[in-house]
Amino acid sequence: MHKLFPSQADDEKIYIVVRQHWVVLLKKLVIWFIFAAALVLFRRYGLAWLPGLFEGDIGAVTQLFMQVYALFLALALFLIWLIYYLNAQIITDRRIVDIDQVGLFHHEVSELHIENIEDVTSEVSGVLGTIFNFGDVYVQTAGTVERFEFSDVPNPAAISKLILDLYDQIPPERRMHALHK
């Protein structure tokens, strides 16, 4: 069996794996395309407008700059996709797991057991959030991580309802035991 997170039990049922809404990824890609278009326009029109930049030693430096810029563009595109894909929230029948890919070589994994939940809030704001139905889900607990935040996830009301339904399925004596820990 393939495990999505390190402490996943063999009999643990995964209900949903949530990532940021595709509109958030699209916004980042639009910014990336603006920087890529700047390089294309500079290559295409730079020689006609600034011919001195492409001659002699200055031309070699200009070529080096354009190659380094293209390398950074490729790295940025890779990082945008990597961070989008590896940031995930996993909701199982036992817990909520928040996996945050902070950088290329740094990620954090936080877990919250369903019986420790005190409050769940969903929030949709902004024009894009309202049109495309994405927003934030906040899960409140009394544990060391007081608040789990799922940022810019699709259909936050449904995710909030799923978490509350899973909480309601826990026997009351287990919920009471979690409150007295």
Side-chain angles (χ1 to χ4, degrees):
M1 177 179 161
H2 175 67
K3 292 188 176 192
L4 289 179
F5 56 95
S7 62
Q8 180 181 351
D10 290 333
D11 61 339
E12 193 166 7
K13 182 180 178 187
I14 294 175
Y15 282 95
I16 190 170
V17 177
V18 182
R19 289 187 175 78
Q20 284 186 324
H21 196 275
W22 61 267
V23 170
V24 177
L25 177 63
L26 184 65
K27 287 192 303 189
K28 293 175 184 175
L29 289 176
V30 165
I31 293 169
W32 182 88
F33 276 115
I34 291 169
F35 282 99
L39 179 64
V40 171
L41 292 173
F42 182 73
R43 282 187 179 178
R44 183 168 185 136
Y45 298 111
L47 185 59
W49 293 342
L50 304 165
L53 279 179
F54 293 90
E55 298 171 356
D57 290 337
I58 294 176
V61 172
T62 302
Q63 288 295 328
L64 178 64
F65 171 76
M66 289 189 323
Q67 290 171 353
V68 169
Y69 188 87
L71 184 65
F72 277 111
L73 278 175
L75 178 64
L77 184 62
F78 173 71
L79 285 174
I80 288 169
W81 173 252
L82 181 83
I83 290 174
Y84 170 79
Y85 185 75
L86 293 180
N87 277 344
Q89 290 81 30
I90 303 166
I91 300 172
T92 73
D93 58 343
R94 298 180 189 171
R95 63 185 126 197
I96 299 170
V97 180
D98 184 19
I99 303 171
D100 286 327
Q101 188 70 31
V102 180
L104 188 58
F105 300 109
H106 180 215
H107 73 275
E108 298 172 359
V109 179
S110 303
E111 295 183 11
L112 167 66
H113 290 273
I114 298 289
E115 63 261 12
N116 293 335
I117 291 173
E118 291 183 349
D119 184 40
V120 181
T121 305
S122 65
E123 178 180 282
V124 175
S125 61
V127 174
L128 287 177
T130 303
I131 291 171
F132 293 106
N133 191 21
F134 70 90
D136 302 331
V137 175
Y138 304 103
V139 182
Q140 187 77 32
T141 179
T144 55
V145 178
E146 290 184 10
R147 186 169 168 168
F148 268 46
E149 181 178 337
F150 301 178
S151 298
D152 299 321
V153 294
N155 203 354
I159 293 171
S160 180
K161 183 179 180 334
L162 172 65
I163 294 170
L164 290 172
D165 289 346
L166 289 170
Y167 179 79
D168 288 340
Q169 291 175 6
I170 296 172
E173 61 275 0
R174 225 171 98 201
R175 278 188 253 159
M176 292 304 291
H177 178 68
L179 291 175
H180 297 297
K181 281 185 181 178

